[in-house]
Amino acid sequence: MTRFKSSAFVQYLAVAVAVIGSAQIAGAADTSVGGFLDAGFPISGAAGDPSIIRDGAIYFGHTSGNTTFKFDMPFQMAGGAVANNDMLIGFDKAQAFFSHTYSNGAGWRMGQFDGIFGLERNDTVDNFFVNQGTLFTYTQPRTNTGIEGSYKITDSIKAQAYVSGVNNNGGSKIGSRPEFGGKVSLSGDFNVGLGGWFRAVNDDTSAMYLNLTADTKLAGFNLGVEGAYQKAGEADAKMSFGVMGNTNVMDKLDAGVRAQYLMDQIAAGSTQMEATAGVRYMMDKNLSVKANYVFGSTTAAEGADSVTDHSGQVAAVYGF
């Protein structure tokens, strides 16, 4: 993670725009550029000053034949106790990889890429709600650094397998104790994904993660369910579950709900429940405004009293 003053951030963006602009002129048909900005704030339940620039990224891609290069540089306001306008650039969800596909449906990619599990994605522009849920926060790998192979078994069935360093930790341990992961996906009217990863933490302890997702559109509702299982050594397994759905209620206005329940994440016997209700209004094809109410209940250990929390969140997201 790198911290830049805002002036350095502006210079960085200026250079990036110049480079991308030159690349577009050189080969517009093979080059793509995009990005997003998520600006918003909590309207209740906030501790201290909010970070107005919540999330953002600049995307750059180039394709040559069957090979594609992708560069994804995230940014957001640093925040913290000291008041300043610093930006964080290239933090824990940056991507930089190239991929290659073959006519028989096989393919591979190498570098740092987004995790392949779960219903919610790293970038807030790709999600219905203002923030990802607790199931994403506590269980889902953000990125992997390594190599992944894939194969389209049929038009609707795809298999992926990767070898990487410890997820969310770059190339850490890739040479000594690599992480092995994979996923099988079924796409169509009903989408299903089943996968997980395994890693030897040391000579006596292994860690594993399993993830199951299913989503579909039914009677105008976009519905999804997710379950996650985590186990490390002799410790008790951690189980997490979630369900979400959204639908269009009137022109340009969608409404949705999400409920998630986590067991043993904080400590043995702990539970976390989070319920979110929200709306999203499409100002135009690039700009959406979101508002959420979030209820949370946490029991830190078995027999402990539960602590509840109520919060509100609003955000405007522009993606291109």
Side-chain angles (χ1 to χ4, degrees), residues 32 172-173 212 214 264:
S32 63
S172 174
K173 304 295 185 181
L212 172 65
D264 302 308

Side-chain angles (χ1 to χ4, degrees), residues 124-196:
T124 56
V125 68
D126 297 323
N127 300 317
F128 179 86
F129 296 99
V130 175
N131 289 329
Q132 295 94 340
T134 54
L135 199 155
F136 173 94
T137 302
Y138 280 90
T139 75
Q140 190 168 319
R142 307 293 190 275
T143 59
N144 292 95
T145 307
I147 185 169
E148 177 197 83
S150 62
Y151 184 69
K152 291 196 69 173
I153 302 171
T154 68
D155 289 341
S156 59
I157 301 177
K158 179 181 178 180
Q160 297 166 266
Y162 69 81
V163 179
S164 76
V166 180
N167 64 73
N168 304 332
N169 284 276
S172 174
K173 304 295 185 181
I174 192 171
S176 55
R177 300 186 184 279
E179 178 175 306
F180 300 93
K183 180 181 177 181
V184 176
S185 305
L186 171 68
S187 60
D189 294 335
F190 190 75
N191 304 310
V192 178
L194 175 62

